[in-house]
């Protein structure tokens, strides 16, 4: 169980997200990644190993955008590879980062594969992204989609979702895994530990289990 960070409304947020991930390094991790939305497209960088590797990738190819999510992974399902590093993206339009374990991911994955979803990682986490695609395709609004997804997944989680369907919105939820919101001036932040937010704002809200 490692680190999640996110921001909405923070100008060119990718550098800030990397900085927040560095503040979570003490928790240990094996890979990392960041996604932003810019010009109605999802852009992603992921790297195995230390954050310095992700840092180098971002310097070589910076990510624009004022909304984004980042992750440090401690692999539980699927090897330590770039393909298994978070964020995971489904259908090119929903990106997720997840800490924890989705116990019933196998059943969900099978069901979704039967309806044409194709998976690109060996993680338990990727089902969350596909469940949101399915819910948005069914016409559900973000709150109703989240309620539906939470009813389907079992296990421990803190997750954050970005979607081209709602490009100004960051969806978060938690159960048995920590997640805090930081309220800034014109921007909101999330982090799996308030340490990731302390340099950004002092107004921090701790989510409780099943909050979203
Ligand atoms: N279970 C997920 C994975 O293996 C998330 C691990 C984590 O909490 O970093 O990718």
């Amino acid at each position: 169980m490692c680190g999640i960070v996110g921001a909405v409304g923070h100008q060119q947020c990718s550098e800030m997200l990397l900085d927040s991930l560095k503040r979570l390094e003490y928790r240990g991790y094996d890979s990392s990644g960041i996604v932003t939305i810019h010009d109605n497209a999802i852009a992603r960088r992921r790297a195995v190993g230390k954050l310095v590797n992700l840092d180098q990738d971002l310097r070589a190819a910076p990510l624009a955008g004022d909304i984004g999510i980042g992750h440090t992974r401690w692999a539980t399902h699927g090897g330590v590879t770039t393909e298994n590093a978070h964020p995971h993206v489904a259908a090119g339009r929903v990106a997720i980062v997840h800490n924890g374990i989705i116990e019933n991911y196998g059943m969900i994955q099978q069901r979704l594969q039967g309806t044409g979803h194709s998976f690109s990682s060996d993680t338990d986490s990727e089902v969350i992204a596909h469940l949101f695609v399915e819910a948005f395709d069914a016409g559900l609004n973000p709150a109703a989609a989240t309620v539906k997804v939470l009813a389907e997944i079992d296990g421990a989680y803190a997750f954050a979702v970005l979607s081209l369907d709602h490009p100004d919105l960051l969806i978060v939820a938690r159960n048995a895994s920590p997640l805090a919101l930081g309220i800034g001036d014109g921007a909101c932040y999330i982090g799996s530990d308030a340490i990731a937010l302390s340099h950004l704002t002092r107004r921090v809200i701790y989510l409780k289990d099943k909050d979203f």
Side-chain angles (χ1 to χ4, degrees), residues 32-46:
S32 60
I34 290 177
V35 142
T36 60
I37 293 181
H38 184 60
D39 277 349
N40 209 34
I42 286 180
R44 174 172 63 174
R45 304 283 179 270
R46 296 183 290 179

Side-chain angles (χ1 to χ4, degrees), residues 119 137 178:
F119 283 73
D137 280 347

Side-chain angles (χ1 to χ4, degrees), residues 132 140-152 212:
F132 272 96
L140 297 184
N141 66 34
T146 309
V147 169
K148 184 163 187 294
V149 172
L150 295 187
E152 249 186 287
F212 67 91

Side-chain angles (χ1 to χ4, degrees), residues 101-141:
I101 292 172
I102 305 301
E103 307 282 356
N104 59 339
Y105 80 99
M107 261 171 43
I108 298 172
Q109 189 177 39
Q110 250 184 10
R111 181 180 71 69
L112 290 169
Q113 279 168 334
T115 64
H117 287 255
S118 83
F119 283 73
S120 54
S121 79
D122 303 320
T123 66
D124 53 324
S125 309
E126 193 183 340
V127 293
I128 301 171
H130 291 271
L131 286 173
F132 272 96
V133 168
E134 181 181 56
F136 290 142
D137 280 347
L140 297 184
N141 66 34

Side-chain angles (χ1 to χ4, degrees), residues 1-3 71-78 84 86 88 98-101 123-125:
M1 215 170 274
C2 259
H71 189 261
T72 47
R73 176 176 188 233
W74 190 263
T76 66
H77 293 64
N84 289 335
H86 300 215
H88 294 291
H98 163 236
N99 282 163
I101 292 172
T123 66
D124 53 324
S125 309

